[in-house]
Amino acid sequence: MTRILLVEDEESYRVPLAYRLEKDGFEVAQAATGPDAVELFAASGADLVLLDLMLPGMEGTQVCREIRRTSDVPVIMLTAKDDEIDKVVGLELGADDYVTKPYSYRELLARVRAVLRRRGDLSVSDEHAPSDAIAVGRISMDTVRHEVSVAGELVAVPLREFELLEMFLRNPDRVLTRGPLT
Ligand code: CA
């Protein structure tokens, strides 16, 4: 199983992200500070590191350097502002990619998979992994290709509707109640 070290001090980002990554088949270790991240990586390693830039104790840039001393593990930086990207790129930290907050989970997952594929990690699920393809009744969707078909015919679905539909299809036995009509 592909192991991700998720380094993010904001619990409201970290916990839901870890949960979704685990649902998509990754093993996730979490660290909330720079020093914790370095320590955890030294102790247990990882196949990929998702690294927040602004961290308590030690900045993400320094964490990346520390990790790079001993490992060429893929690193994706999570940055909050555009000007921070300049910092990440300018410092030539050896990060493999970066994602700007707020990011969509789908975008992040696509980058995680792309980076792992580039590194030739064969344990990474490709487009045909079971979790990417959902079929309920006549409707099927491919969450990586972002395609929906009804009875075999492709239909165009905007992103918001796509995510809603995915939620419905992943919870086929749950009753989802609507709010009061206005
Ligand atoms: Ca932060």
Side-chain angles (χ1 to χ4, degrees), residues 8-10 52-56 101:
E8 166 68 77
D9 57 316
E10 282 165 61
D52 184 29
L53 189 60
M54 304 303 284
L55 288 168
K101 295 178 193 174

Side-chain angles (χ1 to χ4, degrees), residues 141 162-172 174 176:
M141 65 195 301
F162 187 90
E163 291 187 334
L164 267 177
L165 182 62
E166 180 182 355
M167 188 183 76
F168 289 134
L169 292 187
R170 285 197 194 276
N171 299 280
R174 247 177 67 195
L176 299 164

Side-chain angles (χ1 to χ4, degrees), residues 136-140 148-155:
V136 176
R138 284 148 50 91
I139 306 171
S140 59
V148 177
S149 32
V150 178
E153 296 283 318
L154 277 182
V155 290

Side-chain angles (χ1 to χ4, degrees), residues 34-182:
D36 280 357
V38 172
E39 197 176 309
L40 200 54
F41 186 81
S44 334
D47 299 308
L48 181 137
V49 180
L50 288 174
L51 183 56
D52 184 29
L53 189 60
M54 304 303 284
L55 288 168
M58 184 191 291
E59 275 197 19
T61 50
Q62 189 58 32
V63 173
C64 189
R65 278 197 206 92
E66 291 292 326
I67 288 173
R68 277 283 171 270
R69 279 173 199 258
T70 59
S71 167
D72 66 349
V73 64
V75 176
I76 298 177
M77 303 293 300
L78 309 173
T79 74
K81 295 186 294 254
D82 282 348
D83 58 336
E84 289 180 352
I85 292 171
D86 296 342
K87 198 170 166 188
V88 171
V89 173
L91 286 172
E92 293 175 346
L93 288 168
D96 291 70
D97 203 351
Y98 57 84
V99 176
T100 313
K101 295 178 193 174
Y103 48 78
S104 79
Y105 174 72
R106 196 165 308 285
E107 180 194 357
L108 182 71
L109 184 62
R111 284 170 189 242
V112 164
R113 288 189 166 137
V115 165
L116 288 170
R117 263 199 295 268
R118 232 159 39 219
R119 293 299 190 100
D121 185 331
L122 297 176
S123 67
V124 183
S125 55
D126 65 12
E127 285 87 19
H128 299 100
S131 64
D132 298 330
I134 313 166
V136 176
R138 284 148 50 91
I139 306 171
S140 59
M141 65 195 301
D142 183 323
T143 58
V144 168
R145 288 167 197 265
H146 200 267
E147 288 173 355
V148 177
S149 32
V150 178
E153 296 283 318
L154 277 182
V155 290
V157 180
L159 183 62
R160 243 190 92 71
E161 281 76 3
F162 187 90
E163 291 187 334
L164 267 177
L165 182 62
E166 180 182 355
M167 188 183 76
F168 289 134
L169 292 187
R170 285 197 194 276
N171 299 280
D173 300 322
R174 247 177 67 195
V175 176
L176 299 164
T177 55
R178 66 180 173 197
L181 291 171
T182 50

